[in-house]
Amino acid sequence: MLCRDARRAPVIGCGMDAQRAKARTGALRLLAALLLAAPLLWTSCGRPSARVPAARRAEPGVRAVLEAHAAARPAPVAGSVPLLLVADAATSAPSKGPAGATPPLEAVVSSGVPFAPGALRDVRLLRLRDGRGALVPLRAKPLAVWPLDGSIRSALVAFRAALAPGERAIYTLEHGAPPRPAKSAPPGEPPAGAPPAGAPPPRAKASSPGQRADAPGIEGAALDESLLPNPDGPIAAVLPPSWYAASQVCGPQLPAIDDRRFPGFESGIERALAGMTPAYDAYGVSCAGAHRTYYDGPHALYQRFLRNGDAARYRRARAEAVWYRQHELRFSPDRRLAVHVCEKDDWTPAAPLSWEVLRRMLGQGMLDDYLLTGDPPAKEAVLAMGEALRLNLPALTGGKEDVLRATERNMAWAMMTLSSYYALDPRPELLAALRGLADRTAAWQRQGASGAFEHDIHRADPSECERGPRGASPFMTALLVDALMDYRALTGDPRVRDVVARAAGWLAERAITSDRRAFRYLWGCETDAYDDSGTADLNLLIVPVFGAAYALTGDPRWIDVGDALADVGVKEMWVKQPKHWNQAMRAFGRYLGYRSALAAPATAGRLSAGP
């Protein structure tokens, strides 16, 4: 650290002891020390810290903090990850302490920490260290597991911290390895800390209520079990976007900073949200017109956060999830069931849910909220929506019309809601219900030879096609593939590979327009061929099917097809309302995640459309 006073030559450490500074090794600890020592550095260089706001005092270390934050990669078995703490800025003139300094914000800090399949199996192997390397007492508990191998999908960590308004700090979360054993004493000597020979045994120290002094994995630090989730507290805790991407917590993702192939998407999607008129959050609940959370606004905003990893985007996604629960869900008196407020007041599971309600039951977004915050109301919403849908399946599929196969979108939303339910409650009866939906989906596709999920598109979209008894919708097909990939991540069902590859083949060979720049808005409409690229903005919703086909078959030529159409989609991107913004953000982020595994350029040849 080099600091200059106008009256003196440069000095090292700004008055800090040189030996102590030299002893601080390791990139993360050094960065944290620089950040935490910022006020001291300013003072010892002749600039009184009282004249510098807390947020400004942290500025010298912010760039280094963010670089370290973005560079971290999770270890598959054991390792560590930086946890960035960000205190809210003061909203009014802060009160001063006895010495004229702004008192710190003291709060419980909590975060849902996701892990890739197989990375963590016991939360007792989590340890937290502050910026100086000292162990911090924390509470850790599993929020969900990966059903296929039983490893932890997400864990809640909660601890206490104190930061000045606007201040940042780096803690380190260690995972996956047991604590270092205590050094053994030389032969003939008592262990370190043992009482002298003949002395009475020491009395056990009384623990405070809710604390244990023998918390596994914390090397004797007290574990405060009274710590509860505090997702809206004054201090946010976020992980690097690379960690979120590798964890697969919300499906495949690519950190925005690593997207060098489609930078226009990254800048365009952010500009659109910031400049939306009316503003995104000016929209409300609508059962027919422009609707704020249509296509799962919470899920889209959480994916935006995961791809960037900053506290401001976390706050925005979190606020949308809370808003959805407060304004759009109606619970039964016992809170076991929940449906969207657009459903009839006297609805019971004996009556099929309406199409408008199916597409507004946002299981993915509520699951994101729970896995990333541990907030109990988020889990309650996932379980209640899922149970309402599970009980409603006989009515949806057993009446005069199979509602779920009336359009790809209906099946997609039902599968997403039930998959989110199973992710938090992996009971055999839920797995059976999910497999039943997968059975119906595979059989539906096999009824035709095209690879599409053929249905009467006039019935689904009467204003857009006067006659189309055996048609399909490319963008709704993409939504169904999204649901199938969620289902496969939980169950490993091998049939998904063939279903997705056949759907991708149909899109690439039959649903594409003659100029190969877009997809037909509807395929199989006898009164309108839709053979134009006027809806090329929908490419961003559809190309994830090619990404999924690549992920399942390993054939990189699917990415060739996807990239060519994505280039047109980014150029024609139209995201001026919440619905369209949500569609593009939730879908194209997944495509980028799928293609991030591409290691070599594609080779010429025919695409593989099946096993």
Side-chain angles (χ1 to χ4, degrees), residues 356-371:
E356 291 76 14
V357 164
L358 282 172
R359 68 183 70 172
R360 289 169 170 82
M361 302 272 277
L362 308 184
Q364 285 179 317
M366 294 302 97
L367 178 63
D368 296 346
D369 192 38
Y370 182 66
L371 294 177

Side-chain angles (χ1 to χ4, degrees), residues 144-147 153 361 363-364 367 371 382-383 385-387 389-390 393 411-427 430-431 433-435 437-438 480-491 590:
V145 299
W146 292 103
R153 181 174 182 176
M361 302 272 277
Q364 285 179 317
L367 178 63
L371 294 177
V382 172
L383 301 185
M385 286 191 295
E387 184 64 7
L389 181 66
R390 185 184 74 85
L393 286 176
M411 182 69 79
W413 290 120
M415 190 176 292
M416 289 175 189
T417 299
L418 207 56
S419 290
S420 299
Y421 187 13
Y422 180 68
L424 298 185
D425 189 6
R427 289 180 286 134
L430 296 185
L431 178 59
L434 259 180
R435 289 194 183 280
L437 292 184
L480 181 50
V481 167
D482 190 16
L484 284 166
M485 294 300 283
D486 276 0
Y487 160 75
R488 181 182 178 277
L490 297 171
T491 66
R590 287 212 169 189

Side-chain angles (χ1 to χ4, degrees), residues 460-494:
D461 296 288
S463 64
E464 295 168 338
C465 182
E466 294 181 10
R467 177 174 170 77
R470 297 190 64 83
S473 166
F475 71 90
M476 292 187 191
T477 295
L479 198 66
L480 181 50
V481 167
D482 190 16
L484 284 166
M485 294 300 283
D486 276 0
Y487 160 75
R488 181 182 178 277
L490 297 171
T491 66
D493 192 330

Side-chain angles (χ1 to χ4, degrees), residues 2 10 98 101 235 259 287 297 358 387 419 424 436 463 472 499 535 568 574:
L2 189 64
I235 302 175
D259 181 13
C287 298
L358 282 172
E387 184 64 7
S419 290
L424 298 185
S463 64
V499 173
T535 56
V568 182
W574 197 93

Side-chain angles (χ1 to χ4, degrees), residues 495-518:
R495 296 175 298 171
V496 173
R497 179 185 185 275
D498 183 51
V499 173
V500 171
R502 291 189 69 210
W506 164 71
L507 286 169
E509 297 170 9
R510 305 183 67 174
I512 200 166
T513 56
S514 297
D515 61 7
R516 303 193 67 81
R517 289 176 50 83

Side-chain angles (χ1 to χ4, degrees), residues 295 355 358-359 401-414 444 453-457 459-461 471-473 475-477 479-480 522:
Y295 279 88
W355 293 20
L358 282 172
R359 68 183 70 172
E401 177 187 43
D402 187 337
V403 173
L404 299 186
R405 297 206 322 194
T407 171
E408 304 95 332
R409 179 169 51 196
N410 288 357
M411 182 69 79
W413 290 120
W444 182 8
F453 302 97
E454 298 177 9
H455 59 280
D456 185 347
I457 52 178
R459 169 74 176 89
D461 296 288
S473 166
F475 71 90
M476 292 187 191
T477 295
L479 198 66
L480 181 50
L522 292 174

